[in-house]
Amino acid sequence: MVSLARKTLLYEWRRFLPAVLAVGFAGLLQLLQAALVLGIFGGAAVYITGSSADLWVGYPGTQSVDQGRAISPDVASLLYMNPEVERVEPFLWVDGDWRGGGTGGVSVFVSGIDPGPNGLMFAHALAPNLRARLREPDAVIVDRADLSKLGVGIGGSASINGHRVLVVGVASGLRALGGVNVVASLDTARRLDNDPSDAGRPTYLVARLHDPAQAAKVAQTLNGNHGFGPYRVWTAQRFARRTMLFWLFDTGAGAGVLFLAGIVFLVGAVITSQALAAAVVGSIREYATLNALGVGVRALRWVILEEALWVGALGLGGAALLGGVLIALARREDVPVVLNAPVTLACVILVLALALVSGLGSMRSLRRADPATLLR
Amino acid sequence: MNVSATPALEARDVHKSFRAGRIVSTVLDGLSLSVDAGELTLICGPSGCGKSTLLSILSGLQPADAGQVSALGQPLDGLDKRALERFRLLHTGFVFQGFNLFPALTAYEQVALPLGYLGLKRDTARERAEAALIEVGLQSRMHLRPAELSGGEKQRVAIARALAKEPALLFADEPTSSLDAANGQMVIDMLHRIARHHGTTVLCVSHDPRLIGHADRLLTMEDGRILEDRRTPPKVVAKPTGTSR
Ligand SMILES: Nc1ncnc2c1ncn2[C@@H]1O[C@H](COP(=O)(O)OP(=O)(O)O)[C@@H](O)[C@H]1O
Ligand SMILES: [Mg+2]
């Protein structure tokens, strides 16, 4: 069967180009926005996603990893009583004030971690030999992209909360949201901590399980226990998502994202349906002739829907291509962008929905395809 | 005279008027007519006398206000939009003054397109489309788009598009009005030949007096009424070979 939709699209491509561009740009915008939001707000959870722990234990009600309060170190023994737990490690969060390098003060988050080769914290971001350098007293590691902000280079020194620190190395994948991450050993971090209420107590305990797949079950079991003071266990995945959502909506960025997505969708749909409708009206006498010959209005609607879906597919292809290039470019420039499968799928669905809605919107112009108007 | 059991098209006491604001203009006022199968019937008359309105009612494009209309023995009044579409799909072909060809499609594709909706198999559709194009003399132009065809050729594509459906009824509204004399001649002859060779009932309406000599039967219309019903002597036309449907 002759595909009227495809032939028309190819032959009158100029007519459909605005629609393809509108769909493509709408898709690209959604994709980049999603990647940026995931990248930026995913940064809030870098402590979790950059580590290999399966469970996180913190103060009950903690909404985001940066909001932690000290818990009892004795909870560790409770964790070890569970046969699924392989390793437990404390994590100390210290808010710091960085001085030096002519910066005039930068607010930093000091992460006190186990510098051992099997350490869980920042296992993905720090190679074992780099971690080992944290054993030196007062040694810290920062993200490569933060060096200029801190006004130091590798080997440079500065002070945090009035204590001297030495930058022994840089890594990537340590960038934080709302401040600068500084990684130190637990001992160094304790020295930097001026808050007497912490008294060396960890902000979190993180644990690895023999079988990571059991994380949810073990967390539930552990949450049923009592007696070591207040604590709460989350799986790493849950806690990362909790952190990201907190930032997304606490900062109002979430509402902004949804708002922009709505606008982009609306504008894209208007442009696309206008272009499709113009194409229909341009051939309205031909459509009317087909109807005179007995081709039903329903079948004619399908032609338009097919055109809309092709426009959507073409726009999507363009958006994917350009989006891929832009995201690769952003990664090279250390711009935080992240894409995961569900979000990409959501973008694809959104774009196809846009095309579909536009197709449905432009169908109204088919009403003018009345064969009686062909008679003079 | 042709004496067939049921006329291919029949209208009895048909009324049609149009309303423009408060003004109601009556176009057809109690018109009755029957069209015999297998011949070319030409309805002639001045512009605005209601020819096209009559054609659209007889072909199921538009309902009459009152009166009975039947085509191929089947009453058309009372059929809903879908049923009328179905009837037209199965039984009718149309040729209009405008050629109404999709700019994107080649002559072959224009003709094959409606056949797909008829549910024909690919090969059957291809055979029919090619045969129709050959019949209108366009075998060498099958793969050209409208932009590459002359007006006469475009109208022949439109005729082939109607013909390939193998309809029992073929309607033509001013088919020659946008063509020069030679092409107009060729088109009306072609319609005549289709009536004779395929037994198709061809109803053509036109204000063009040059067509008068080319029909089997000539109806003259004025102000919504048939004034004269005349058969042209069979010197122009050999008698149909008895294959009327
Ligand atoms: N859809 C319509 N709305 C209003 N008036 C119409 C419509 N169609 C036809 N008419 C009027 O009906 C009359 C007959 O039209 P038509 O059948 O097209 O005449 P013809 O084909 O003989 O030139 C004309 O006066 C025309 O203006
Ligand atoms: Mg007319």
Side-chain angles (χ1 to χ4, degrees), chain B residues 223-237:
Chain B
D223 278 339
R225 276 172 306 160
I226 310 276
L227 287 188
E228 199 188 341
D229 182 351
R230 183 154 58 95
R231 286 197 170 271
T232 45
K235 67 169 172 79
V236 189
V237 186

Side-chain angles (χ1 to χ4, degrees), chain A residues 375-376, chain B residues 47-48 50-53 97 173-174 205-207:
Chain A
L375 304 165
R376 311 247 161 116
Chain B
S47 251
K51 304 181 299 292
S52 296
T53 306
Q97 177 179 351
D173 182 78
E174 309 280 1
V205 311
S206 178
H207 71 275

Side-chain angles (χ1 to χ4, degrees), chain A residues 7 289 291-293 375-376, chain B residues 52 56 85 88 100 109 165:
Chain A
K7 304 249 173 193
T289 305
N291 186 240
L293 290 170
L375 304 165
R376 311 247 161 116
Chain B
S52 296
S56 69
E85 282 172 353
R88 296 202 303 264
N100 306 331
E109 288 161 349
K165 289 175 73 200

Side-chain angles (χ1 to χ4, degrees), chain A residues 139-162:
Chain A
V140 297
I141 292 173
V142 297
D143 193 281
R144 179 159 40 103
D146 287 331
L147 279 179
S148 62
K149 202 181 337 179
L150 296 174
V152 287
I154 299 179
S157 68
S159 76
I160 294 176
N161 292 346

Side-chain angles (χ1 to χ4, degrees), chain A residues 1-2 4 7-8 11-12 285-286 289-299 303 371 374-376, chain B residues 52 55-56 61 82 85 88-89 94 96-97 100-105 109 113 116-117 122 145 161 165 173:
Chain A
M1 182 148 170
V2 178
L4 181 56
K7 304 249 173 193
T8 306
Y11 188 76
E12 299 178 30
R285 302 183 66 81
E286 286 73 43
T289 305
L290 281 186
N291 186 240
L293 290 170
V295 178
V297 173
R298 253 199 227 186
V303 173
L374 299 174
L375 304 165
R376 311 247 161 116
Chain B
S52 296
L55 179 134
S56 69
L61 291 180
R82 295 274 302 279
E85 282 172 353
R88 296 202 303 264
L89 183 65
F94 284 89
F96 301 107
Q97 177 179 351
N100 306 331
L101 303 176
F102 286 98
L105 302 188
E109 288 161 349
L113 180 63
Y117 290 102
R122 229 185 138 84
R145 296 205 168 83
R161 172 168 65 183
K165 289 175 73 200
D173 182 78

Side-chain angles (χ1 to χ4, degrees), chain A:
Chain A
M1 182 148 170
V2 178
S3 167
L4 181 56
R6 242 179 314 139
K7 304 249 173 193
T8 306
L9 211 68
L10 283 177
Y11 188 76
E12 299 178 30
W13 62 271
R14 273 171 234 272
R15 209 195 260 288
F16 290 95
L17 192 62
V20 173
L21 288 180
V23 169
F25 273 113
L28 189 63
L29 238 65
Q30 306 282 23
L31 198 77
L32 290 184
Q33 172 176 268
L36 268 174
V37 163
L38 278 184
I40 291 170
F41 291 94
V46 66
Y47 317 90
I48 309 164
T49 53
S51 304
S52 58
D54 300 313
L55 292 182
W56 278 68
V57 188
Y59 199 82
T62 304
Q63 301 193 62
S64 165
V65 67
D66 54 288
Q67 313 268 308
R69 279 176 60 180
I71 59 170
S72 164
D74 302 337
V75 177
S77 44
L78 177 82
L79 292 175
Y80 274 125
M81 282 194 298
N82 190 305
E84 287 285 345
V85 174
E86 184 192 329
R87 179 188 166 88
V88 180
E89 192 181 298
F91 171 48
L92 183 61
W93 175 290
V94 179
D95 287 321
D97 180 28
W98 175 283
R99 293 291 166 94
T103 56
V106 178
S107 155
V108 296
F109 310 131
V110 180
S111 292
I113 67 165
D114 184 335
N118 297 322
L120 304 177
M121 283 306 301
F122 293 120
H124 301 319
L126 301 179
N129 61 335
L130 198 57
R131 305 175 75 87
R133 285 191 221 158
L134 289 177
R135 287 180 192 281
E136 275 176 50
D138 302 329
V140 297
I141 292 173
V142 297
D143 193 281
R144 179 159 40 103
D146 287 331
L147 279 179
S148 62
K149 202 181 337 179
L150 296 174
V152 287
I154 299 179
S157 68
S159 76
I160 294 176
N161 292 346
H163 301 275
R164 185 144 207 85
V165 292
L166 188 71
V167 178
V168 295
V170 291
S172 61
L174 290 179
R175 289 184 89 178
L177 200 59
V180 174
N181 259 341
V182 174
V183 183
S185 69
L186 280 163
D187 289 337
T188 305
R190 278 192 196 104
R191 265 197 299 281
L192 299 177
D193 192 358
N194 286 343
D195 186 346
S197 70
D198 288 351
R201 296 192 299 163
T203 321
Y204 296 96
L205 287 166
V206 299
R208 188 166 61 208
L209 304 180
H210 293 292
D211 177 10
Q214 302 300 314
K217 223 175 82 195
V218 176
Q220 198 182 8
T221 311
L222 290 171
N223 279 329
N225 296 351
H226 300 283
F228 289 89
Y231 74 90
R232 173 94 193 167
V233 185
W234 297 274
T235 65
Q237 210 187 4
R238 279 286 294 282
F239 198 45
R241 204 171 61 222
R242 195 177 163 86
T243 295
M244 195 165 111
L245 289 179
F246 173 80
W247 275 85
L248 204 55
F249 289 99
D250 181 65
T251 56
V257 164
L258 292 180
F259 181 72
L260 193 63
I263 296 272
V264 165
F265 190 92
L266 200 71
V267 172
V270 167
I271 296 177
T272 308
S273 66
Q274 289 296 314
L276 284 172
V280 173
V281 169
S283 290
I284 199 74
R285 302 183 66 81
E286 286 73 43
Y287 283 110
T289 305
L290 281 186
N291 186 240
L293 290 170
V295 178
V297 173
R298 253 199 227 186
L300 297 181
R301 287 201 185 124
W302 264 113
V303 173
I304 294 173
L305 212 58
E306 201 190 324
E307 280 175 1
L309 287 179
W310 276 111
V311 163
L314 289 174
L316 203 60
L321 221 69
L322 206 59
V325 170
L326 287 177
I327 283 177
L329 212 67
R331 288 237 169 92
R332 225 188 54 193
E333 300 298 316
D334 278 332
V335 176
V337 283
V338 173
L339 263 189
N340 57 26
V343 169
T344 310
L345 194 70
C347 283
V348 169
I349 289 173
L350 206 69
V351 168
L352 288 183
L354 192 160
L356 208 67
V357 164
S358 309
L360 291 175
S362 60
M363 263 178 203
R364 289 157 20 122
S365 51
L366 254 190
R367 275 193 230 151
R368 288 204 251 156
D370 178 6
T373 61
L374 299 174
L375 304 165
R376 311 247 161 116

